[in-house]
């Protein structure tokens, strides 16, 4: 059975073959521009954000400033990370959908079930990304609040790690599933039925996303890896249920 790391490594080798590179380098170029603009914005405003946050701390808690400052910094890094990740995925979604379809044919010899045209596929891909955002953002906000509740926040690092892995799995495994007419709700159900491969795959992709700049060149491999994971772990679930 294909494991998550092998899928990502094989996928990375696949996407840089001739014929697939066009779906890789255009979103990379766009995302590099977004990356530079976001980094410039954060660096320009970081000092003001920090001063404003510390100004809200009551005077009697000044002695906790040594703890509040790193908590603010960590929270800001997490928020910027998720914001950048969500924005770049929104930009790259149409390209990654096409890439996943091409990889499926090349790697499995099977055509995706999707029969939409290019324009419709691109528009629907953006709509699907908005559905993901509607699912992810409320849960992200709740987890952020939990991170500030004394006692409960001790579990926050583990919860963030699991949440990040789940979000990355949803984000990337959705490309081949969307190409094969699997609804968003059905996709989440299938991922839940294969929790270990889902979370390990999402965990490896999360690690990749934390590598500055290099992640832009590695994430297309995660798309191809998602196709391999789809074929190995998720494609047959419905058929087995229908035959039961």
């Amino acid at each position: 059975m294909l494991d998550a790391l092998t899928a990502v490594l094989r996928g990375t080798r696949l996407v840089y073959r001739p014929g697939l590179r066009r779906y890789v380098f255009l979103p990379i170029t766009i995302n590099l521009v977004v990356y530079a603009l976001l980094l410039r914005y954060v660096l320009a405003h970081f000092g003001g954000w920090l001063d404003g946050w510390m100004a809200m701390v009551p005077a009697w808690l000044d002695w906790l400033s040594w703890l509040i400052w790193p908590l603010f910094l960590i929270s800001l890094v997490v928020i910027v990370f998720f914001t950048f990740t969500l924005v770049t995925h929104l930009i790259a979604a149409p390209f990654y959908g096409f890439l996943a379809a091409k990889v499926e044919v090349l790697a499995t010899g099977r055509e995706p079930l999707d029969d939409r045209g290019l324009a419709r596929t691109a528009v629907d891909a953006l709509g699907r990304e908005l559905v993901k955002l509607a699912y992810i953002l409320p849960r992200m906000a709740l987890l952020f609040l939990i991170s500030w509740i004394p006692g409960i926040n001790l579990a926050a690092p583990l919860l963030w790690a699991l949440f990040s892995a789940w979000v990355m799995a949803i984000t990337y495994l959705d490309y081949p599933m969307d190409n094969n007419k699997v609804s968003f709700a059905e996709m989440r159900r299938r991922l839940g039925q294969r929790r270990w491969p889902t979370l390990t795959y999402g965990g490896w992709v999360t690690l990749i996303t934390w590598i500055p700049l290099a992640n832009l060149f590695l994430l297309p491999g995660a798309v191809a890896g998602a196709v391999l994971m789809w074929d190995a772990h998720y494609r047959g679930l419905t058929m087995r249920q229908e035959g039961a």
Side-chain angles (χ1 to χ4, degrees):
M1 185 66 76
L2 183 74
D3 66 84
L5 179 59
T6 300
V8 173
L9 294 176
R10 285 178 56 190
T12 302
R13 290 194 295 268
L14 276 172
V15 295
Y16 289 100
R17 289 185 178 184
L20 295 179
R21 295 170 186 166
R22 75 187 74 173
Y23 303 104
V24 175
F25 287 113
L26 185 55
I28 284 176
T29 302
I30 297 173
N31 284 333
L32 279 173
V33 174
V34 174
Y35 196 103
L37 293 175
L38 181 62
L39 183 61
R40 180 179 178 182
Y41 181 81
V42 170
L43 291 176
H45 293 82
F46 176 77
W49 290 337
L50 180 59
D51 292 340
W53 186 271
M54 295 303 295
M56 291 188 294
V57 178
W60 61 275
L61 286 179
D62 282 345
W63 63 278
L64 277 179
S65 59
W66 63 272
L67 176 62
I68 295 173
W69 190 92
L71 283 176
F72 171 79
L73 180 61
I74 292 171
S75 300
L76 179 62
V77 169
V78 169
I79 291 172
V80 170
F81 161 72
F82 273 103
T83 301
F84 173 73
T85 301
L86 294 173
V87 170
T88 55
H89 288 154
L90 191 64
I91 293 171
F95 302 100
Y96 284 169
F98 299 143
L99 177 62
K102 296 295 183 182
V103 169
E104 186 166 352
V105 175
L106 179 63
T108 71
R110 304 172 70 167
E111 292 278 351
L113 298 178
D114 191 0
D115 55 2
R116 295 169 294 180
L118 292 177
R120 178 64 183 276
T121 299
V123 172
D124 288 352
L126 292 175
R128 188 93 163 195
E129 289 300 310
L130 295 177
V131 172
K132 294 178 194 176
L133 288 178
Y135 173 83
I136 293 169
L137 291 179
R139 290 161 176 81
M140 178 181 168
L142 177 61
L143 189 52
F144 178 76
L145 291 176
I146 289 175
S147 299
W148 290 90
I149 300 176
I152 298 177
N153 60 3
L154 296 176
L158 176 60
L159 294 176
W160 274 113
L162 291 173
F163 178 71
S164 298
W166 179 250
V167 166
M168 290 298 103
I170 283 178
T171 299
Y172 284 90
L173 288 164
D174 186 52
Y175 293 121
M177 294 204 193
D178 186 30
N179 286 341
N180 285 276
K181 298 184 177 180
V182 177
S183 69
F184 185 73
E186 170 67 12
M187 182 265 297
R188 289 189 288 112
R189 185 186 66 81
R190 294 194 190 193
L191 297 189
Q193 288 185 313
R194 294 288 186 269
R195 289 191 182 276
W196 177 249
T198 296
L199 291 176
T200 53
Y201 169 80
W204 283 113
V205 177
T206 300
L207 290 177
I208 291 173
T209 61
W210 280 96
I211 305 174
L213 295 180
N215 55 11
L216 297 179
F217 297 89
L218 295 174
L219 288 178
V223 176
V227 175
L228 301 177
M229 292 290 288
W230 149 255
D231 190 58
H233 295 280
Y234 307 99
R235 188 195 293 271
L237 289 180
T238 298
M239 290 190 296
R240 283 197 292 270
Q241 290 175 353
E242 289 176 352

